[in-house]
Amino acid sequence: MNTMRRNPEGIAEAIRKAHTVALVSHVNPDGDTIGGVLAMRLILEKLHKEVTLFCDGKVPDSISILPGAELFRVPEGTEGPFDLLLSIDVSDENRMGRSAALKKNSRTTAQIDHHDTNPLFMDINSVDGTAPAVCLLIREQMKVLGVPLNRDIAACLYTGLSTDTGNFAYASTTKECFEVMSELMDTGFDLSEMNRILFRVKPRAQIRLLGRALDSLQFRGNGKIAVMTLTRKDFEECGALSEHADTIVNYGLDTIGTEMCMLAREAAEGTVKFSLRAKEPMCVNDIALFFGGGGHPQASGITMAGPLDEAAAKVLAEMEKKMEA
Ligand code: 5GP
Ligand code: MN
């Protein structure tokens, strides 16, 4: 689709013309969207812009150690006016959540993103569906803007790069990741401490929730599809938050013989949130799109109406159909 539409010059021009800038992350924020927004905030402040950060949701604890993470505001939709609204890592307008209402209060709208399914919903779109993390595009953007790296920006970019590439292990990992990492290392940012916080330490509630999810694990489609579910009760009894389920889906795919997997969790207001994963050459983004979701070929998501069992059965049926095809 929109594989190569990087437009750092267009974004730079919009930034140069603006004084007030609203930076927007996606809902269910992850390390790439938060790292990208926080890096961009530091970059824009070097350029003396007045920056406001919006995230419709809570920043996960593991990434709330990044500089500026406390500055995120939950949008009410009435804020502004802004000269420029810039979304980072947002694959479609719905993924802005309540921040989408800020578009009408912004003179120019722009985005930097790396989702192949992105429908280019802003005035200026810098989207490269082949980039493994949006933070890679932010590094390029800084060069075009003439802002140098420092330790704080490096910590933010590392967060996005490492989390979106599964700690530099997914097939999406490119040579460019390591070239940028080499530049980040020059700043002296604390790689091993950041790595420990991002990938190793976990609250007890998260470990308990993992137990529940593994208990629910089932294999379908001749053992090629792994399915896990988490109910609201699971979350409540474990004292866990939605973010604590974010990486659990990978256990399904790590099981020998599995080619696709799904984690369905009961989320806010009767909705069900799906995380879908696939091993290459299998993909799941077509299934996600079919149900109104989106994402990457091997990592996609869907949010749809419940109840949990019915929604999960619908998605599973599509996965089984695809596996038989
Ligand atoms: P995760 O399963 O980790 O939440 O998300 C995996 C990928 O799917 C991410 O790239 C994310 O952007 C996308 N994604 C997750 N949930 C949704 C959703 O409800 N709608 C859309 N369009 N994309 C989603
Ligand atoms: Mn991303």
Side-chain angles (χ1 to χ4, degrees):
M1 262 209 252
N2 314 302
T3 43
M4 278 305 281
R5 278 183 186 248
R6 288 194 195 188
N7 184 12
E9 286 80 16
I11 299 282
E13 194 188 335
I15 288 172
R16 286 191 201 104
K17 283 189 196 151
H19 178 62
T20 55
V21 183
L23 294 178
V24 174
S25 78
H26 63 69
V27 295
N28 288 116
D30 61 14
D32 199 30
T33 193
I34 298 297
V37 165
L38 293 177
M40 191 49 89
R41 169 198 155 240
L42 293 167
I43 295 159
L44 294 181
E45 289 191 344
K46 287 261 183 275
L47 299 170
H48 311 288
K49 309 295 176 186
E50 198 181 300
V51 187
T52 316
L53 312 184
F54 293 98
C55 176
D56 188 355
K58 178 184 165 289
V59 176
D61 286 341
S62 63
I63 44 181
S64 66
I65 43 110
L66 287 177
E70 72 287 358
L71 300 174
F72 275 98
R73 288 211 230 159
V74 175
E76 285 169 11
T78 52
E79 297 88 346
F82 299 105
D83 297 335
L84 175 65
L85 177 92
L86 177 59
S87 71
I88 309 274
D89 198 36
V90 178
S91 59
D92 64 55
E93 191 163 332
N94 285 337
R95 297 276 294 158
M96 294 172 77
R98 281 173 288 174
S99 302
L102 304 173
K103 274 181 88 175
K104 63 179 186 318
N105 249 351
S106 305
R107 209 148 48 89
T108 305
T109 66
Q111 65 163 327
I112 306 175
D113 184 43
H114 71 124
H115 293 87
D116 195 37
T117 52
N118 192 303
L120 310 181
F121 56 95
M122 297 295 203
D123 300 333
I124 303 162
N125 303 283
S126 185
V127 178
D128 178 359
T130 69
V134 83
C135 281
L136 212 60
L137 305 181
I138 305 287
R139 172 62 189 131
E140 181 187 39
Q141 190 64 58
M142 303 174 62
K143 288 184 179 165
V144 173
L145 288 165
V147 176
L149 273 173
N150 60 35
R151 280 174 71 113
D152 282 349
I153 297 175
C156 295
L157 295 184
Y158 168 71
T159 298
L161 267 176
S162 62
T163 55
D164 258 28
T165 58
N167 217 352
F168 306 99
Y170 297 158
S172 60
T173 309
T174 57
K175 185 176 154 198
E176 197 184 0
C177 297
F178 295 103
E179 286 163 353
V180 170
M181 271 309 290
S182 160
E183 295 177 314
L184 302 188
M185 292 304 283
D186 279 339
T187 68
F189 87 100
D190 196 340
L191 172 76
S192 74
E193 177 62 2
M194 289 287 304
N195 189 278
R196 196 181 68 82
I197 293 168
L198 291 173
F199 298 104
R200 299 200 60 87
V201 298
K202 292 171 187 70
R204 277 184 205 173
Q206 187 171 349
I207 300 292
R208 287 196 192 105
L209 191 70
L210 171 62
R212 296 287 178 110
L214 293 179
D215 257 350
S216 79
L217 182 61
Q218 288 187 34
F219 297 98
R220 306 289 290 266
N222 287 325
K224 292 181 180 166
I225 305 171
V227 181
M228 287 181 278
T229 51
L230 285 168
T231 62
R232 286 223 72 81
K233 194 159 167 267
D234 289 321
F235 282 95
E236 280 159 20
E237 289 177 359
C238 296
L241 307 171
S242 182
E243 71 190 59
H244 294 144
D246 281 346
T247 56
I248 290 178
V249 64
N250 296 320
Y251 285 88
L253 209 58
D254 287 346
T255 313
I256 291 174
T258 305
E259 293 181 24
M260 271 189 219
C261 65
M262 168 220 292
L263 170 68
R265 60 183 115 148
E266 277 182 324
E269 288 150 22
T271 63
V272 180
K273 182 177 156 41
F274 289 84
S275 290
L276 306 181
R277 298 291 186 271
K279 270 181 202 149
E280 270 197 294
M282 201 52 83
C283 61
V284 278
N285 55 340
D286 49 352
I287 296 173
L289 275 175
F290 178 78
F291 288 105
H296 309 279
Q298 280 82 35
S300 299
I302 309 165
T303 309
M304 62 196 268
L308 177 67
D309 290 348
E310 277 175 33
K314 280 186 214 158
V315 177
L316 177 61
E318 283 306 309
M319 291 172 93
E320 286 179 321
K321 212 187 315 172
K322 181 158 180 177
M323 199 57 87
E324 283 159 17

